Amino acid sequence: MCGIIGYIGHQPATPILINGLRRLEYRGYDSAGVALLERGKLAVTKRAGKVEQLACAVDEAAAATAGIAHTRWATHGRPTRRNAHPHTSGGRVAVVHNGIVENYAELKAKLQAAGYRFTSQTDSEVLAHLIDHKLASGGDVLAATTAALTEVVGTFGLAVVCREQPDQLIAARRGSPLLIGLRADETYLASDATALVGHTDQVVYLEDDEVAVCTRGRYRLVDLQNRERARQSRTIELPLGTADKGGYDHFLLKEIMEQPQSVTDGLRGRLSSAEGISHLGGLNLTEPQLRGFGRLLVIGCGSAYYSGLVGKYLLERLTGLPVDVEFASEFRYRQPVLAPGTLCVLVSQSGETADTLAAMRELKRRGLPTLGLVNVVGSSLAREVDGGIYLHAGPEISVASTKAFTAQVVAQLLLGLKIARHRDLSLAEGQEIVAALGGLPGVIARVLESAPRIKAIAAKYAGCRQAMYLGRDSLYPVALEGAHKLKEISYVQAEAYPAGEMKHGANALIDEELLVVFLTPRNALYAKARSNLEEVRARGSQLIALGTQGDQDIAKLARDVITIPPVSPWIEPIVANLPLQLLAYYMAVERGTDVDQPRNLAKSVTVE
Ligand code: M6R
């Protein structure tokens, strides 16, 4: 989603801003722009398309040592040069904005009546004119920005520069992340710590309704009533090496292949084989609390939601507690009936997903304990929940989630194991799960060795127009995630059903053109799944089966078979998902899509 980088220091600003934008590219965007403060002038350059097109249009050697830049992901108005940020007002003020100004139409009408001319179709342009309008009534750019923002309904991560105050950048936040980076006599602004890599690890996170005045190496924070706020900078772990594909063609493949390591990192120091339990330092829950919960509620969006659905099967079996799973976007506007004694688990790679944050805030308002399963350290969700488990999957750059999804399921298993061992799970059962998790990185490594075979299969079916993924039990949500991945990166229409549901409607879709991916490893429901598979086969679809190594029976039924080793049911959904990641990846490559930055998608969805 949109990205912001700002710089004020003593070095030429342009290369810093352009490189910052390059680091933010993974978030997804469709246009980019930069505003430089140079010799009493604001120089603005914008381009539709990629950052590289902007890089060709700007003078990297320009003398400016301050400026702001942006990658835009269109919400209001098409992805054109005109609609790209920065937006300016009379060559005096320039702004870059992440978020949505919900009352922009009303503000725009007032500003037009006051004589302002709008040149874009965006909601963000009102911010530039509104700040300029406030400046006209006296005061400095800080006062003008705070005054303007008190009139804004909606969300913002905002950076402002003003021709008349070239020695400051103004930043403001409500609901859209923004941080200040500090280094000697230089100050950076960024919507995402990734943009600060190579510059500084000293940061200050803005809170909602705070405004910062950034000068060279210094900052001052106020609230929207201009009251001073004090906050010390802190040292963060920067996601080093993120911009490097490590020899792979795409970040997505790199991230799939990193999973033996990312799972190892997520498990490090957390498993006790002697006690058959997990150690999770950040839960902030006492043993009586862990024993006392009567229900679990898991909330997320997209793949994080599907990981929660996998978690439901595992957590209910482990803890004996009922588990509800909800889309954050639905939950936040429902009137949910929340039983006291519910432990709420918010799942998010980025920790910045607007709907998930809103759901978490609603849960806190209702007095329920919240845990975050989050990958990005220091993200809004991680900072606001009562406790949590960091996923430690490492930076995930590709828009489509792979290693973070795996880590989300692993984290739910760790959480379930902890709760269950404080309830009824026996030592022996706990040790069985610890052993299964301990062996998981090795199993993942073996499954990923089948990449060349999956690549060849993907080449055969890449021309398909529709796909259906089928599975039973915890493999049903894996089917959902498999279909989600295929849709996202190859743009093939894909659906998923519980295999037993087929005859209740979806069978009507089966014909010779449909690609069916059937998950049918040798588990407790194998016989049931196998007979569902026979039904699909009888209707002549193109059938890929995912089975257990050595299953000759399945090999006779399906056109192509992808195998996984026999594994514990506790880790089977994680293992079965890996070939689906590879299948989606290779189909997308065959189809020539933009694998790492699929059209219309953003890595971190910070608006509704
Ligand atoms: O950062 P989050 O985990 O909160 O993101 C949630 C979804 O937007 C995300 O999982 C999305 O579905 C991915 N593109 C999945 O590949």
Side-chain angles (χ1 to χ4, degrees):
M1 196 138 271
C2 306
I4 291 176
I5 170 88
Y7 173 76
I8 183 159
H10 52 81
Q11 303 183 62
T14 315
I16 291 173
L17 296 173
I18 296 291
N19 283 330
L21 292 184
R22 287 189 180 113
R23 289 195 180 278
L24 294 173
E25 280 192 295
Y26 78 97
R27 295 167 63 98
Y29 71 104
D30 43 53
S31 51
V34 58
L36 297 166
L37 282 160
E38 199 178 3
R39 293 192 207 96
K41 270 191 4 206
L42 265 179
V44 175
T45 312
K46 314 201 271 192
R47 287 291 178 273
K50 296 287 178 188
V51 170
E52 284 321 306
Q53 286 159 263
L54 179 69
C56 293
V58 293
D59 176 9
E60 295 241 354
T65 55
I68 54 178
H70 191 257
T71 46
R72 172 175 186 254
W73 190 83
T75 56
H76 296 57
R78 290 172 57 76
T80 59
R81 180 163 159 182
R82 223 164 236 226
N83 289 336
H85 301 210
H87 292 291
T88 55
S89 186
R92 186 190 201 190
V93 170
V95 304
V96 294
H97 169 229
N98 290 355
I100 291 180
V101 181
E102 288 170 15
N103 60 337
Y104 84 98
E106 182 194 313
L107 293 172
K108 184 172 177 176
K110 276 194 207 160
L111 289 161
Q112 280 172 324
Y116 284 95
R117 265 194 57 244
F118 282 72
T119 55
S120 79
Q121 302 157 306
T122 67
D123 56 325
S124 304
E125 191 182 354
V126 295
L127 296 171
H129 296 310
L130 192 56
I131 293 168
D132 186 77
H133 190 49
K134 299 290 177 191
L135 270 172
S137 29
D140 61 8
V141 65
L142 170 65
T145 305
T146 50
L149 292 178
T150 52
E151 293 183 21
V152 168
V153 178
T155 52
F156 46 82
L158 179 73
V160 186
V161 285
C162 175
R163 189 183 57 197
E164 282 134 32
Q165 286 170 270
D167 292 323
Q168 33 182 269
L169 310 182
I170 305 291
R173 171 199 157 129
R174 182 190 293 156
S176 196
L178 205 57
L179 59 151
I180 301 169
L182 296 159
R183 183 170 102 167
D185 51 359
E186 296 170 290
T187 305
Y188 299 80
L189 281 178
S191 53
D192 175 332
T194 312
L196 300 182
V197 170
H199 299 303
T200 180
D201 59 1
Q202 294 300 307
V203 306
V204 178
Y205 288 97
L206 266 72
E207 301 290 349
D208 279 352
D209 288 330
E210 279 183 350
V211 184
V213 189
C214 304
T215 50
R216 291 179 169 81
R218 309 180 79 85
Y219 67 96
R220 187 161 77 83
L221 291 179
V222 295
D223 65 15
L224 290 185
Q225 285 69 46
N226 275 310
R227 290 178 296 224
E228 296 286 328
R229 291 266 180 102
R231 181 138 343 108
Q232 291 299 312
S233 64
R234 54 193 262 200
T235 307
I236 55 162
E237 207 176 302
L238 281 169
L240 284 170
T242 49
D244 177 9
K245 289 189 193 142
Y248 291 100
D249 289 342
H250 297 97
F251 282 111
L252 189 71
L253 185 58
K254 176 183 177 230
E255 287 157 11
I256 292 172
M257 293 301 179
E258 277 171 351
Q259 289 176 102
Q261 188 57 48
S262 57
V263 170
T264 303
D265 293 342
L267 293 174
R268 185 168 294 117
R270 287 174 163 173
L271 289 177
S272 163
S273 162
E275 296 167 78
I277 200 170
S278 55
H279 293 302
L280 300 167
L283 295 185
N284 301 331
L285 293 169
T286 62
E287 285 183 21
Q289 282 174 316
L290 282 169
R291 263 191 291 275
F293 292 116
R295 194 170 201 97
L296 299 175
L297 171 61
V298 183
I299 294 183
C301 300
S303 291
Y305 168 79
Y306 296 131
S307 85
L309 286 183
V310 177
K312 176 180 170 71
Y313 285 84
L314 302 175
L315 288 167
E316 286 189 341
R317 216 167 282 159
L318 256 173
T319 63
L321 295 172
V323 180
D324 296 315
V325 187
E326 297 239 20
F327 283 117
S329 55
E330 286 296 310
F331 176 84
R332 64 183 290 192
Y333 293 116
R334 286 200 307 113
Q335 298 253 299
V337 179
L338 297 169
T342 301
L343 175 62
C344 307
V345 182
L346 289 304
V347 187
S348 176
Q349 189 287 130
S350 61
E352 301 294 353
T353 301
D355 287 322
T356 310
L357 284 171
M360 179 266 298
R361 288 172 189 149
E362 176 61 14
L363 288 164
K364 289 188 80 167
R365 195 188 65 76
R366 306 262 302 249
L368 290 175
T370 54
L371 289 184
L373 308 192
V374 179
N375 197 33
V376 177
V377 175
S379 56
S380 302
L381 189 65
R383 286 182 288 126
E384 290 184 42
V385 281
D386 300 317
I389 306 174
Y390 273 123
L391 303 179
H392 295 309
E396 194 178 64
I397 301 297
S398 189
V399 165
S401 183
T402 52
K403 62 177 181 171
F405 173 86
T406 297
Q408 286 160 355
V409 180
V410 168
Q412 287 174 79
L413 262 174
L414 290 171
L415 177 64
L417 180 59
K418 175 95 176 167
I419 295 173
R421 285 289 288 131
H422 287 296
R423 296 170 63 89
D424 296 331
L425 195 79
S426 70
L427 173 64
E429 288 169 308
Q431 286 173 327
E432 183 195 323
I433 295 165
V434 167
L437 279 170
L440 182 58
V443 176
I444 293 176
R446 270 191 288 146
V447 172
L448 295 178
E449 281 168 15
S450 57
R453 170 157 173 71
I454 296 173
K455 183 178 181 184
I457 292 174
K460 278 169 59 180
Y461 299 99
C464 76
R465 297 222 314 274
Q466 288 187 338
M468 188 182 288
Y469 286 62
L470 299 168
R472 275 178 174 268
D473 198 72
S474 64
L475 297 183
Y476 161 53
V478 172
L480 284 166
E481 169 60 12
H484 186 59
K485 210 82 325 171
L486 188 72
K487 266 184 277 211
E488 283 188 296
I489 59 173
S490 75
Y491 315 153
V492 172
Q493 163 66 33
E495 296 189 54
Y497 288 93
E501 271 294 302
M502 289 295 293
K503 54 176 80 68
H504 301 290
N507 269 352
L509 295 173
I510 302 178
D511 62 17
E512 295 76 26
E513 288 192 3
L514 182 73
L515 170 63
V516 174
V517 181
F518 210 119
L519 311 185
T520 173
R522 288 243 173 210
N523 57 24
L525 290 176
Y526 175 75
K528 303 276 177 209
R530 190 192 172 288
S531 65
N532 297 140
L533 186 143
E534 291 266 21
E535 290 162 22
V536 172
R537 180 175 182 259
R539 287 161 179 83
S541 72
Q542 312 204 34
L543 184 56
I544 303 177
L546 185 139
T548 303
Q549 272 160 16
D551 186 345
Q552 301 303 331
D553 202 22
I554 287 296
K556 283 185 215 134
L557 294 177
R559 287 204 195 162
D560 280 290
V561 178
I562 299 169
T563 58
I564 56 170
V567 290
S568 154
W570 295 112
I571 59 167
E572 185 183 72
I574 298 171
V575 176
N577 182 51
L578 304 166
L580 305 189
Q581 295 175 344
L582 287 166
L583 184 67
Y585 170 72
Y586 287 118
M587 296 249 300
V589 172
E590 280 289 327
R591 294 169 69 89
T593 59
D594 190 348
V595 173
D596 283 330
Q597 289 166 28
R599 66 186 182 200
N600 309 333
L601 294 181
K603 182 67 185 157
S604 164
V605 184
T606 52
V607 294
E608 283 191 62

